[in-house]
């Protein structure tokens, strides 16, 4: 027997309509260069979205076309999110931090028809243009005055595309399975892979993001999105904030600049913010060196890479900010788990609770997860057994867009293999111990590079730490700790190893410590382990020869 409820499609257009009717006065503030701020309301934003949709029509954009963006977090990028998707085309966000060859691969693979780009990317686009196969031209996110000098054919400015006529637009009635957006993973192995979101997955994911035990977003919040709109939908904030009418603050090109972030938090009375650990480590160092505070800030969601314990403690204990760890992936829209304490944890000591808070988080309704061993057997949720983490759910990618390689991650039984290795405890809290490809196997046992990095980062003399496995004749692999010293603090190998002694198992102790000026990062802010292995893979471990 079928139910008798209305068949209203879950489409991004409905978020826009709802926000415009219910929260026309909620604001979007974007930071520009030299301290400039652009501010307007959702009402004004969605009026411009209609003008932009008409502009897209005049460019010849048709339903299903891919329209690329190469842009920072700002109001014009927000307008593109809605105008492109709601007119039935696909908003393809490109990460400008990728290698130029990857950008070319992505533009051609997606068969992008137009590119909307920040003017600062004009030289890059000019260089790559001869390699691009599909795009008809570039629209620069500026007005006539800010238009860069360029000989890219079809180049024009965003504001003239919008025009000023009465802002009516007949939005198409879309099937909820229509593709809405496209984002490529950064492709640390092989080519980048396209994740094609649809309207339905986007709406359900944004609903989930707002829930109290997830990101707990509400109308009274002012949300600073330090997660880039060019990667994994900025963790759904451009959809979730309009859904509840929260004010949205966008840091523009200065996303990684701690002073800008601090000014925005103070100036806009930001209550909640989200970003990757490196951004918050930068903000912490800035607050400490300037004596500034973040009075309005209540919560900080940290994900994309493991949140160091030192970061969580510093913001909680010294600045009164609750730090919520989370984990996700481009393939998961990106929300996977969120660390919000449950009642069951009340019975634990403060120390035990803190240990749980450092885990990546617990399940969110909409994502099922399991851990399995090498034979595919399900492992228990006991906090000890660790195995391959697999997920499934309505906002998890079913298959990559037009894959040109085998795709073993999407399993025939309907689960997606995340490539992460994890434990899940009896309270349902999941902890990532490693990326499968970064796991260090010593004497047949796994050493968690993430746990080692975390422990090392707690040392006051450490600005950043990374661990890689090096080949070892006796043990198979042994860990090498790579450290960037904090400014003005001197730390040596002996001091580092002594610091770790009561924090990790004896056999996890790094065989050596290498001090470097900088640790390379990927385009999504993660430690670039492949690059580290290339740079330091030949580092001689002190005892390797005697041991053999
Ligand atoms: P990329 O394009 O770099 O793959 P993603 O954002 O999709 O970008 O990366 C997802 C991966 O990032 C996860 O599979 C996991 O390895 C890592 N990751 C994300 N959040 C965390 C976290 N909180 N702790 C540890 N690793 C994380």
């Amino acid at each position: 027997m079928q139910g008798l409820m209305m068949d209203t499609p879950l489409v991004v257009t409905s978020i826009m309509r709802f926000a415009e009717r219910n929260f026309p006065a909620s604001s979007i503030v974007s930071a520009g260069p030299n301290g400039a701020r652009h501010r307007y309301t959702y009402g004004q934003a969605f009026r411009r979205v209609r003008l932009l949709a008409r502009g897209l029509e005049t460019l010849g954009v048709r339903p299903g076309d891919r329209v690329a963006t190469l842009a920072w977090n700002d109001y014009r990028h927000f307008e593109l999110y809605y105008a492109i998707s709601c007119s039935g085309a696909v908003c393809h966000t490109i990460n400008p931090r990728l290698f130029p060859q990857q950008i070319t691969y992505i533009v051609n693979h997606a068969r992008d028809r137009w590119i909307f780009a920040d003017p600062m990317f004009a030289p890059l686009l000019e260089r790559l243009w001869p390699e691009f196969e599909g795009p008809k031209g570039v629209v620069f996110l500026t007005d006539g005055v800010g238009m860069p000098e360029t000989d890219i054919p079809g180049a024009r400015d965003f504001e003239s595309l919008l025009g000023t006529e009465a802002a009516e637009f007949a939005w198409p009635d879309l099937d909820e399975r229509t593709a809405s957006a496209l984002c490529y993973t950064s492709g640390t192995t092989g080519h980048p892979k396209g994740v094609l979101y649809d309207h339905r997955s986007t709406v359900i994911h944004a609903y989930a993001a707002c829930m109290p035990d997830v990101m707990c977003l509400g109308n009274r919040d002012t949300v600073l999105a330090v997660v880039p709109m060019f990667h994994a939908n900025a963790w759904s904030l451009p959809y979730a904030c309009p859904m509840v009418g929260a004010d949205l603050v966008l840091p523009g090109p200065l996303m990684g600049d701690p002073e800008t972030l601090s000014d925005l938090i103070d100036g806009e009375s930001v209550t909640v913010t989200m970003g990757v650990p490196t951004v918050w480590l930068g903000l912490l160092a800035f607050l400490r060196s300037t004596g500034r505070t973040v009075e309005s800030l209540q919560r900080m969601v940290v994900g994309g890479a493991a949140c160091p314990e030192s970061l969580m403690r510093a913001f909680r204990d010294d600045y009164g900010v609750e730090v919520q760890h989370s984990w996700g992936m481009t393939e998961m829209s990106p929300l996977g788990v969120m660390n919000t304490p449950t009642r069951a944890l009340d019975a634990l000591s403060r120390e035990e609770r803190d240990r749980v808070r450092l885990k990546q988080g617990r399940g969110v309704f909409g994502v099922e997860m399991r851990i399995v061993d090498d034979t595919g057997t399900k492992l228990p949720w006991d906090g000890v057994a660790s195995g391959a983490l697999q997920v499934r759910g309505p906002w998890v990618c079913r298959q990559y867009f037009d894959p040109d390689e085998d795709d073993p991650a999407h399993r025939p039984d309907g689960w997606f293999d995340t490539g992460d290795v994890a434990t899940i405890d009896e309270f349902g809290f999941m902890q990532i111990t490693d990326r499968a490809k970064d796991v260090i196997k010593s004497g047949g046992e796994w050493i968690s590079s993430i746990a080692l990095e975390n422990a090392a980062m707690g040392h006051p003399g450490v600005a950043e730490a990374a661990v890689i496995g090096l080949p070892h004749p006796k043990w198979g692999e042994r860990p090498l700790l790579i450290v960037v010293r904090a400014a003005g603090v001197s730390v040596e190998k002996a001091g580092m190893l002594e610091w770790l002694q009561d924090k990790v198992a004896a056999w996890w102790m790094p065989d050596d410590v290498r001090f470097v000026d900088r640790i390379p990062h990927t385009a999504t802010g993660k430690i670039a382990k492949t690059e580290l292995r290339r740079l330091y893979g030949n580092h001689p471990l002190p005892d390797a020869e005697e041991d053999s």
Side-chain angles (χ1 to χ4, degrees):
M1 188 182 202
Q2 295 266 297
L4 291 171
M5 309 310 282
M6 290 187 187
D7 193 13
T8 308
L10 300 173
V11 287
V12 172
T13 326
S14 61
I15 303 178
M16 173 171 65
R17 289 201 176 108
F18 183 77
E20 193 172 15
R21 171 116 295 279
N22 290 277
F23 314 116
S26 292
S27 66
I28 300 178
V29 177
S30 313
N34 309 320
R37 301 275 183 271
H38 175 277
R39 54 184 79 240
Y40 68 172
T41 62
Y42 281 176
Q44 290 165 313
F46 290 121
R47 179 177 178 280
R48 278 170 55 91
V49 168
R50 286 193 288 275
L51 292 172
L52 177 55
R54 239 200 280 135
L56 290 172
E57 263 183 356
T58 62
L59 293 179
V61 172
R62 296 275 159 269
D65 281 353
R66 269 75 72 198
V67 178
T69 66
L70 200 61
W72 304 107
N73 288 17
D74 71 6
Y75 66 102
R76 291 189 180 108
H77 204 176
F78 177 91
E79 292 163 5
L80 283 162
Y81 260 53
Y82 282 89
I84 298 171
S85 304
C86 300
S87 50
V90 180
C91 180
H92 172 204
T93 55
I94 302 180
N95 183 342
R97 296 184 183 137
L98 292 172
F99 297 123
Q101 307 92 292
Q102 288 180 315
I103 295 182
T104 304
Y105 172 85
I106 286 174
V107 166
N108 290 341
H109 186 267
R111 297 183 293 282
D112 290 326
R113 295 269 284 176
W114 280 88
I115 300 177
F116 283 72
D118 189 283
M120 80 164 69
F121 301 122
L124 173 73
L125 288 170
E126 247 168 52
R127 210 155 20 100
L128 301 183
W129 191 257
E131 312 283 323
F132 289 168
E133 290 159 8
K136 291 184 169 174
V138 177
V139 179
F140 286 100
L141 304 187
T142 182
D143 53 18
V145 180
M147 191 60 189
E149 262 191 41
T150 173
D151 47 19
I152 296 177
R156 51 186 304 170
D157 75 271
F158 187 91
E159 294 302 323
S160 69
L161 179 68
L162 254 62
T164 49
E165 289 169 47
E168 291 311 318
F169 188 78
W171 296 108
D173 290 327
L174 299 172
D175 181 288
E176 63 181 18
R177 294 284 183 178
T178 307
S180 59
L182 175 64
C183 178
Y184 282 73
T185 65
S186 43
T188 36
T189 54
H191 283 310
K193 299 178 194 70
V195 179
L196 190 60
Y197 308 103
D198 60 35
H199 282 258
R200 179 176 186 269
S201 68
T202 304
V203 170
I204 302 176
H205 177 261
Y207 254 122
C210 295
M211 281 183 14
D213 279 356
V214 186
M215 291 193 195
C216 191
L217 299 179
N219 184 256
R220 289 170 191 277
D221 279 313
T222 299
V223 182
L224 172 63
V226 194
V227 278
M229 290 172 71
F230 57 69
H231 190 66
N233 312 312
W235 299 3
S236 100
L237 294 177
Y239 308 111
C241 289
M243 224 178 218
V244 296
D247 288 342
L248 187 56
V249 181
L250 302 171
L254 296 168
M255 210 147 51
D257 176 47
E259 186 168 4
T260 301
L261 298 182
S262 171
D263 288 348
L264 285 171
I265 292 169
D266 280 351
E268 306 302 328
S269 301
V270 167
T271 57
V272 187
T273 185
M274 337 251 155
V276 295
T278 35
V279 165
W280 305 128
L281 288 168
L283 179 64
L284 182 62
F286 175 79
L287 295 177
R288 282 192 168 142
S289 67
T290 55
R292 288 180 62 166
T293 54
V294 281
E295 295 301 319
S296 61
L297 195 61
Q298 297 161 9
R299 274 182 312 119
M300 171 184 279
V301 180
V302 182
C307 175
E309 181 173 3
S310 50
L311 182 78
M312 188 175 279
R313 285 192 192 284
F315 272 105
R316 185 188 65 186
D317 301 342
D318 303 344
Y319 295 94
V321 180
E322 189 195 339
V323 175
Q324 256 180 302
H325 202 181
S326 76
W327 162 89
M329 303 180 76
T330 309
E331 287 89 337
M332 301 178 72
S333 300
L335 194 61
V337 300
M338 181 67 67
N339 196 316
T340 313
T342 52
R343 271 184 286 175
L345 302 189
D346 292 351
L348 303 181
S349 69
R350 187 181 154 95
E351 205 174 89
E352 287 168 325
R353 270 204 309 270
D354 277 1
R355 259 203 302 279
V356 177
R357 292 303 312 259
L358 277 170
K359 298 186 176 189
Q360 272 65 19
R362 64 184 166 95
V364 168
F365 176 74
V367 177
E368 270 181 273
M369 44 177 193
R370 68 181 188 188
I371 42 175
V372 300
D373 67 13
D374 289 348
T375 65
T377 309
K378 267 200 277 178
L379 295 170
W381 289 23
D382 59 6
V384 179
S386 84
L389 178 63
Q390 299 180 345
V391 294
R392 66 178 180 189
W395 62 75
V396 179
C397 165
R398 176 159 47 93
Q399 67 170 77
Y400 291 116
F401 174 60
D402 210 357
D404 48 17
E405 290 165 9
D406 281 350
D407 175 14
H410 288 101
R411 299 165 43 85
D413 63 1
W415 288 79
F416 171 68
D417 214 320
T418 63
D420 286 320
V421 178
T423 61
I424 306 178
D425 67 21
E426 67 268 39
F427 303 107
F429 284 74
M430 184 275 281
Q431 181 161 34
I432 303 272
T433 52
D434 249 315
R435 269 316 264 172
K437 59 184 187 301
D438 296 335
V439 150
I440 301 169
K441 213 160 187 191
S442 173
E445 301 277 351
W446 285 354
I447 294 177
S448 163
S449 63
I450 292 187
L452 270 177
E453 285 159 6
N454 246 323
M457 297 266 276
H459 190 293
V462 175
E464 195 169 18
V467 173
I468 55 171
L470 295 185
H472 190 283
K474 178 167 175 192
W475 301 107
E477 274 184 327
R478 291 296 303 159
L480 168 72
L481 173 62
I482 299 166
V483 169
V484 179
R485 289 192 179 94
V489 192
S490 90
V491 53
E492 298 303 331
K493 174 177 168 182
M496 205 58 244
L497 294 182
E498 196 184 322
W499 168 264
L500 292 176
Q501 228 148 39
D502 58 348
K503 298 180 179 67
V504 300
W507 62 276
W508 283 24
M509 270 302 185
D511 280 28
D512 206 358
V513 183
R514 180 141 181 180
F515 293 92
V516 299
D517 291 338
R518 57 174 282 279
I519 286 175
H521 289 97
T522 67
T524 48
K526 299 176 191 8
I527 293 172
K529 295 266 169 112
T530 321
E531 180 64 1
L532 281 179
R533 281 191 282 266
R534 192 184 66 76
L535 290 170
Y536 306 113
N538 290 329
H539 178 93
L541 291 180
D543 294 331
E545 275 167 23
E546 295 100 273
D547 278 359
S548 59

